[in-house]
């Protein structure tokens, strides 16, 4: 998966779950700025990330993924790790 | 099979704004966090044009929420307990059984107060040790009976559990984190099966079961093993499963389900087989209203069965042990419902029961007589071959139409017809009993309940007309006839006579109302053919002064209380 794809997909996911316009999503967005980012939607977000990017997110990692930037870097790292492994 | 991922699921839910979907309101009570599973159920129901609204609930609060239940206008309550976590929590299984029994008691109370609500309860997953699983199986059996007794629907979760391996079924990591429990695969499977289950419950009961013979109604192939060697004896280890299956089907037939055969065989072999084994087999050849034993493709045979019996293909269910035949049927005759027949005949009965195609809460006398009614229709069909013209044939049938008012005796049958009739139903307006009673109370109406007899027997109540009277104009708000009797010109003669009756009551104009649906399009021009004048696409007008009595007399028409 190319890096560009990660950001496109991530924006789509944010827009879908938090019901925000895709154009308004930038890398500065975090849980304080998004109105709908509650605990239920956070669980949804984690489930979608796992499913869409085919990665596994541990509970202690999920707690920390509270901004667009962190999530983006987290997925990139996981994907790289997987590449190395295979 | 490739499952859609959770992202695709949410995308579909988010993007489907079609207002034509039928709406279902569900309260889901689970002992785990169910929003995830709910999304999958929503997805699969959307695929078949139903939009679901899940009411907000707290998870693992089943008893509290059932005891404080006060939701109106709900269509479904779904109750699901999964005991996967019992492995870790050391809760005694028996205590859990008691908990479920208490839930059923509470559901029973809810059902008594809100008769319209359909309730689905999951049985328990056989996911523990072998010893405990035996207890669970025993409990599940009693749960099923208890549910049936109280008019609840029991959803067999083990069918799905056994399909997906244990380690892929649960998602324990997510369970600890957010109490979600299921994996994406199992949520997909449960969502898919449960949505089908829900639709089967709300759609009208199927009318006809089309069966294969070899390895379906009996063990072995009659053309090869011979009719002496087929397995049907109830004392035989394998034969008993086929015997039980036949017994179950015989019971369905008693409840008014029409049976038919579609089998690739020689008819003589089949006939001899039924004759030779008549003491062992619960079913007789006479129990089947249409028999197609030949070497034609089954998806073609079934068209003929549908024509023979005048039953729409979407009211037919196909049961065949051959996966090839089932796939062909699905491919070439997709409106037929096909049962996913298990390989082991031991589970034949269960697979039919699980489908809920033939389950119904109430059974009317009219249903019980159905087999008789289809048989007299068939006799008439054979008799028809003796005549050159349809008119001669119709005259010779000596048909008599009896027309009466709606009364307490026929009220339920009227409501049943309002909800079941599709083809000759000019307005397709549906009412439940309370709504219909109110409708009759609020409006000034003339109503006609129509029964038909002919030389072969009594067809029972076959039609209903309700005309709402306003200032000497009668609007035909309900005009329906059972599809069984179409093609006999009943509809034309009836309309002609009703006009005459309404004229006698001082009505000056009659308004025919028609709303086109997928099923009644064949009667789009019905009013125009009968000399009504089109006002707009839904409304047609007839001036009573222009009334002429039908000349060629086919029917004897009798009015009671008119």
């Amino acid at each position: 998966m190319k890096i560009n794809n990660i950001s496109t997909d991530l924006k789509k996911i944010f827009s879908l779950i938090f019901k925000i316009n895709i154009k308004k999503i930038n890398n500065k967005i975090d849980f304080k700025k998004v109105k709908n980012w509650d605990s239920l939607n956070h669980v949804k977000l984690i489930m979608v990330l796992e499913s869409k990017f085919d990665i596994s997110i541990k509970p202690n990692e999920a707690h920390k993924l509270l901004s667009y930037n962190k999530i983006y870097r987290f997925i990139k790292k996981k994907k790289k790790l997987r590449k190395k492994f295979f | 099979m490739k499952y859609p991922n959770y992202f695709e699921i949410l995308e579909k839910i988010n993007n489907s704004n079609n207002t034509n979907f039928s709406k279902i309101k569900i309260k889901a009570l689970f002992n785990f966090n169910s929003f995830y599973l709910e999304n999958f159920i929503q997805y699969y129901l959307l695929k078949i044009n139903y939009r679901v609204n899940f009411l907000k609930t707290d998870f693992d609060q089943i008893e509290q929420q059932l005891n404080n239940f006060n939701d109106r206008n709900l269509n479904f309550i779904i109750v699901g307990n999964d005991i996967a976590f019992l492995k870790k929590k050391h809760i005694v299984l028996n205590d859990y059984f008691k908990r479920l029994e208490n839930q059923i008691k509470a559901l029973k109370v809810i059902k008594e107060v809100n008769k319209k609500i359909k309730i689905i309860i999951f049985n328990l997953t056989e996911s523990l040790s072998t010893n405990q699983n035996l207890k669970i199986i025993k409990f599940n059996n009693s749960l099923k009976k208890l549910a049936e007794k109280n008019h609840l629907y029991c959803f067999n979760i083990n069918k799905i559990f056994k399909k997906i391996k244990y380690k892929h079924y649960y998602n324990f990591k997510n369970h600890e984190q957010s109490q979600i429990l299921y994996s994406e695969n199992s949520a997909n499977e449960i969502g898919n099966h449960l949505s089908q289950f829900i639709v089967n419950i709300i759609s009208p009961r199927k009318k006809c079961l089309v069966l294969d013979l070899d390895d379906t109604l009996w063990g072995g192939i009659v053309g090869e093993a011979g009719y002496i060697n087929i397995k049907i004896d109830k004392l035989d280890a394998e034969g008993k499963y086929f015997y039980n299956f036949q017994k179950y089907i015989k019971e369905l037939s008693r409840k008014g389900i029409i049976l038919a055969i579609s089998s690739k065989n020689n008819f003589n072999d089949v006939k001899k087989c039924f004759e030779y084994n008549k003491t062992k087999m619960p079913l007789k050849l006479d129990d089947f209203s249409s028999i197609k034993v030949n070497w034609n493709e089954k998806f073609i045979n079934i068209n003929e069965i549908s024509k023979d019996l005048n039953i729409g293909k979407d009211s037919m269910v196909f049961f065949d042990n051959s996966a090839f035949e089932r796939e062909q049927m699905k491919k070439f005759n997709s409106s037929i419902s096909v049962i996913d027949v298990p390989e082991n005949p031991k589970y034949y009965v269960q697979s039919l029961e699980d489908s809920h195609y033939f389950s119904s809460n109430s059974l009317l006398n009219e249903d019980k007589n159905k087999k008789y009614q289809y048989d007299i229709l068939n006799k008439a069909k054979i008799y028809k071959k003796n005549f050159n013209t349809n008119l001669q044939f119709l005259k010779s049938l000596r048909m008599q139409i009896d027309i009466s008012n709606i009364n307490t005796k026929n009220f339920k049958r009227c409501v049943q017809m309002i909800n079941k009739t599709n083809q000759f139903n000019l307005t397709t307006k549906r009412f439940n009993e309370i709504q219909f009673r109110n409708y009759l109370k609020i409006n000034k109406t003339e109503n006609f309940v129509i029964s038909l007899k002919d030389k072969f027997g009594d067809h029972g109540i076959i039609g209903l007309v309700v005309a709402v009277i306003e200032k000497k104009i009668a609007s035909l708000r309900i005009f329906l006839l059972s599809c069984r009797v179409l093609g006999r010109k009943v509809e034309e003669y009836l309309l002609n006579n009703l006009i005459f009756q309404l004229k006698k009551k001082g009505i000056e104009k009659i308004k025919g109302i028609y709303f086109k649906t997928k099923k009644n399009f064949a009667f789009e021009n019905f009013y125009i053919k009968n000399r009504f004048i089109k006002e707009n696409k839904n409304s047609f007008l007839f001036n009573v002064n222009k009334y002429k009595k039908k000349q060629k007399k086919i029917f004897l028409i009798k009015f009671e209380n008119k």
Side-chain angles (χ1 to χ4, degrees):
Chain A
M1 185 177 273
K2 283 180 191 164
I3 288 168
N4 276 349
N5 287 355
I6 296 183
S7 100
T8 325
D9 281 344
L10 202 53
K11 279 180 181 166
K12 270 191 207 160
I13 293 171
F14 265 64
S15 160
L16 181 65
I17 294 181
F18 302 126
K19 307 262 185 296
I20 31 180
N21 191 331
I22 202 152
K23 286 175 194 159
K24 288 185 183 165
I25 300 167
N26 54 41
N27 55 6
K28 282 174 192 152
I29 238 169
D30 68 9
F31 81 102
K32 284 179 191 161
K33 286 177 189 153
V34 177
K35 197 179 140 203
N36 291 331
W37 198 326
D38 54 17
S39 59
L40 179 68
N41 279 337
H42 188 66
V43 179
K44 262 191 193 176
L45 175 70
I46 299 297
M47 304 290 285
V48 173
L49 293 175
E50 284 192 320
S51 167
K52 183 80 183 171
F53 297 105
D54 196 17
I55 51 172
S56 172
I57 304 172
K58 290 178 197 139
N60 61 349
E61 292 169 328
H63 289 311
K64 294 171 194 161
L65 298 175
L66 292 171
S67 76
Y68 179 91
N69 223 351
K70 275 182 187 164
I71 294 170
Y72 177 77
R73 274 184 284 151
F74 177 81
I75 296 166
K76 219 167 94 178
K77 199 171 125 197
K78 282 257 172 178
K79 285 282 174 193
K80 268 188 189 163
L81 272 178
R82 245 170 62 144
K83 239 184 186 172
K84 259 189 206 169
F85 189 74
F86 286 108
Chain B
M1 185 184 152
K2 196 192 166 293
Y3 300 111
N5 66 38
Y6 190 42
F7 178 72
E8 289 163 330
I9 300 270
L10 290 180
E11 227 178 4
K12 168 110 183 167
I13 297 171
N14 206 38
N15 295 340
S16 46
N17 298 319
N18 191 338
T19 45
N20 289 335
F21 290 137
S22 312
K23 293 189 179 83
I24 307 177
K25 220 170 172 185
I26 300 179
K27 186 160 191 157
L29 304 168
F30 288 99
N31 68 341
F32 51 86
N33 198 346
S34 61
F35 80 86
Y36 185 64
L37 181 60
E38 285 169 13
N39 286 152
F40 286 81
I41 299 171
Q42 278 176 314
Y43 170 86
Y44 281 99
L45 278 165
L46 274 173
K47 271 181 84 177
I48 39 180
N49 299 339
Y50 286 91
R51 177 183 290 284
V52 186
N53 177 7
F54 277 103
L55 264 67
K56 275 200 175 141
T57 52
D58 300 324
F59 68 90
D60 207 9
Q61 306 270 325
I62 301 177
E63 288 80 1
Q64 292 89 322
Q65 296 190 64
L66 287 180
N67 291 331
N68 299 320
F69 181 86
N70 57 1
D71 294 289
R72 302 273 159 197
N73 302 323
L74 258 189
N75 302 102
F76 278 92
I77 302 174
I78 301 177
V79 176
N81 297 268
D82 202 297
I83 45 173
F85 56 85
L86 286 196
K87 261 188 172 174
K88 295 183 178 173
K89 279 194 181 166
H90 307 290
I91 297 170
V92 184
L93 200 51
N94 283 344
D95 290 348
Y96 221 84
F97 292 161
K98 270 187 199 138
R99 214 176 135 178
L100 245 87
E101 277 162 1
N102 284 333
Q103 289 175 13
I104 291 207
K105 268 183 206 161
L107 287 169
K108 193 181 155 189
V109 175
I110 293 173
K111 180 82 189 165
E112 272 166 12
V113 181
N114 310 274
K115 289 207 167 69
K116 261 173 34 188
I117 296 184
K118 310 266 191 268
I119 299 169
I120 297 174
I121 184 158
F122 283 34
N123 65 5
L124 296 177
T125 338
E126 293 157 26
S127 58
L128 307 178
S129 68
T130 323
N131 211 355
Q132 284 169 308
N133 277 349
L134 284 173
K135 281 188 195 167
I136 295 175
I137 292 171
K138 205 174 153 194
F139 176 77
N140 276 345
N141 283 335
S142 61
L143 181 77
K144 194 175 163 187
K145 280 177 196 153
L146 195 65
E148 258 168 38
K149 203 175 129 194
N150 295 308
H151 303 297
L152 317 177
Y153 298 91
C154 188
F155 181 70
N156 184 9
I157 192 85
N158 286 297
K159 210 163 88 178
I160 298 153
F161 180 68
K162 280 171 189 162
K163 200 169 162 186
I164 300 172
K165 285 181 188 143
Y166 182 80
K167 66 174 181 181
H168 299 300
Y169 187 78
Y170 293 115
N171 183 345
F172 280 114
K173 183 196 72 180
N174 273 327
H175 188 55
E176 277 158 20
Q177 187 182 336
S178 48
Q179 307 275 312
I180 281 176
L181 196 61
Y182 293 126
S183 71
E184 197 169 85
N185 284 3
S186 51
N188 260 298
E189 280 287 341
I190 298 171
N192 188 7
H193 277 84
L194 190 62
S195 51
Q196 196 55 53
F197 191 78
I198 288 171
V199 172
N200 287 351
I201 292 172
I202 44 182
S203 34
R205 198 165 67 132
K206 301 284 178 190
K207 292 177 185 165
C208 172
L209 175 61
V210 182
L211 292 145
D212 173 42
L213 294 176
D214 293 333
D215 282 324
T216 299
L217 280 192
W218 53 66
I221 295 168
V222 69
E224 289 172 12
Y227 52 83
I228 302 168
N229 299 319
I230 58 150
K231 290 179 179 120
I232 187 63
D233 200 322
K234 64 177 165 187
L235 300 172
D236 180 70
E238 217 183 307
K240 70 175 179 212
Y241 299 132
F242 293 100
Y243 173 85
N244 288 339
F245 185 53
Q246 283 207 12
K247 219 170 123 188
Y248 179 73
I249 290 171
K250 181 99 182 172
E251 197 44 45
L252 283 183
S253 152
R254 277 203 196 106
K255 286 181 185 166
I257 305 302
I258 304 301
L259 304 180
I261 294 175
S262 174
S263 162
K264 288 179 177 166
N265 253 317
N266 290 324
F267 183 66
N268 263 344
D269 290 341
V270 170
K271 207 174 157 192
K272 277 181 196 158
C273 184
F274 272 100
E275 269 166 26
Y276 181 82
N277 295 299
K278 64 182 174 198
T279 50
K280 292 180 199 162
M281 296 210 286
L283 286 168
K284 310 279 170 271
L285 212 48
D286 282 351
D287 290 323
F288 298 89
S289 300
S290 175
I291 298 167
K292 300 286 163 209
V293 178
N294 51 39
W295 299 93
N296 297 342
E297 295 299 343
K298 297 197 175 184
F299 57 89
I300 295 173
N301 270 340
I302 213 158
N303 290 339
E304 301 207 344
I305 295 175
S306 155
K307 263 188 221 159
D308 277 358
L309 301 172
N310 238 347
I311 293 179
K313 284 198 269 184
D314 54 355
S315 299
M316 298 171 88
V317 177
F318 180 62
F319 193 105
D320 196 310
N321 73 309
S322 147
F324 172 76
E325 297 289 358
R326 296 200 300 267
E327 284 314 306
Q328 287 235 312
M329 189 62 76
K330 282 182 199 165
K331 203 170 163 193
F332 298 113
N333 230 332
S334 56
S335 44
I336 309 271
S337 307
V338 178
I339 300 275
D340 221 353
V341 179
E343 279 181 24
N344 190 343
K346 187 177 169 184
Y347 302 112
Y348 280 3
V349 173
Q350 198 190 343
S351 67
L352 260 186
E353 273 179 350
D354 285 347
S355 77
H356 281 275
Y357 284 133
F358 300 113
S359 56
S360 171
N361 292 340
S362 64
L363 198 66
L364 308 180
N365 259 335
E366 221 68 31
D367 290 326
K368 288 180 198 156
N369 290 332
K370 220 161 223 162
K371 160 97 180 69
Y372 160 77
Q373 286 163 355
Y374 278 94
D375 284 351
I376 57 176
L377 270 184
N378 246 351
K379 275 184 196 163
K381 246 178 210 148
I382 296 162
Y383 176 71
K384 189 178 177 179
K385 289 177 184 153
N386 301 328
F387 294 89
N388 293 331
T389 69
N390 199 26
L391 194 69
Q392 277 179 342
F393 160 69
L394 290 177
K395 274 185 178 170
S396 73
L397 281 176
R398 296 202 299 274
M399 288 188 280
Q400 181 184 326
I401 293 177
D402 291 312
I403 299 179
S404 61
N405 286 112
I406 296 174
N407 54 38
T408 45
K409 269 186 195 167
N410 60 28
F411 182 76
K412 277 199 168 165
R413 168 69 181 151
C414 289
V415 175
Q416 190 194 37
M417 281 196 299
I418 287 172
N419 290 301
K420 275 175 81 176
T421 316
N422 294 313
Q423 291 177 40
F424 192 93
N425 190 342
L426 299 182
T427 51
T428 320
K429 194 154 176 54
R430 312 287 194 200
F431 289 107
N432 63 30
E433 285 184 23
I434 300 164
Q435 288 167 333
F436 190 49
R437 199 164 275 140
N438 282 339
Y439 186 79
L440 294 177
K441 217 184 257 175
I442 294 166
N443 297 297
K444 189 185 169 205
T445 63
E446 283 293 328
N447 52 63
F448 307 90
V449 180
I450 298 116
S451 315
L452 179 75
K453 282 181 203 154
D454 65 21
K455 68 179 273 181
F456 293 105
D458 188 350
H459 294 268
I461 296 172
I462 51 118
L464 172 70
V465 182
V466 176
V468 175
I469 314 288
E470 280 165 332
K471 295 179 191 163
K472 300 199 171 180
I473 298 177
S475 315
L476 304 179
R477 296 286 168 89
I478 296 176
F479 193 157
L480 56 89
L481 281 177
S482 161
C483 56
R484 280 183 287 131
V485 297
L486 294 181
R488 291 180 170 217
K489 296 189 183 285
V490 180
E491 59 277 20
E492 287 168 31
Y493 272 78
L494 189 66
L495 181 63
N496 189 271
N497 263 277
L498 294 185
I499 294 173
F500 179 63
Q501 290 300 318
L502 291 168
K503 190 183 174 188
K504 277 204 293 191
K505 304 216 167 187
I507 298 295
E508 287 170 2
K509 279 181 182 158
I510 296 175
K511 203 186 246 181
I513 297 166
Y514 173 80
F515 289 103
K516 193 173 178 176
T517 67
K518 274 182 196 166
K519 299 227 173 139
N520 74 1
F521 61 89
F523 299 96
E524 198 173 5
N525 292 325
F526 174 71
Y527 283 118
I528 290 180
K529 270 187 196 164
N530 286 288
R531 299 187 299 131
F532 278 61
I533 292 159
K534 192 172 181 174
E535 284 194 318
N536 56 49
K537 67 175 183 175
N538 301 120
S539 165
F540 302 82
L541 206 64
F542 186 84
N543 196 336
V544 175
N545 295 332
K546 289 181 185 167
Y547 172 78
K548 270 184 202 165
K549 208 168 186 181
K550 281 252 175 200
Q551 292 304 318
K552 289 168 191 163
K553 209 169 180 192
I554 304 179
F555 297 95
L556 179 70
I557 298 192
K558 276 190 179 173
F559 281 86
E560 287 167 27
N561 319 320
K562 293 270 174 192

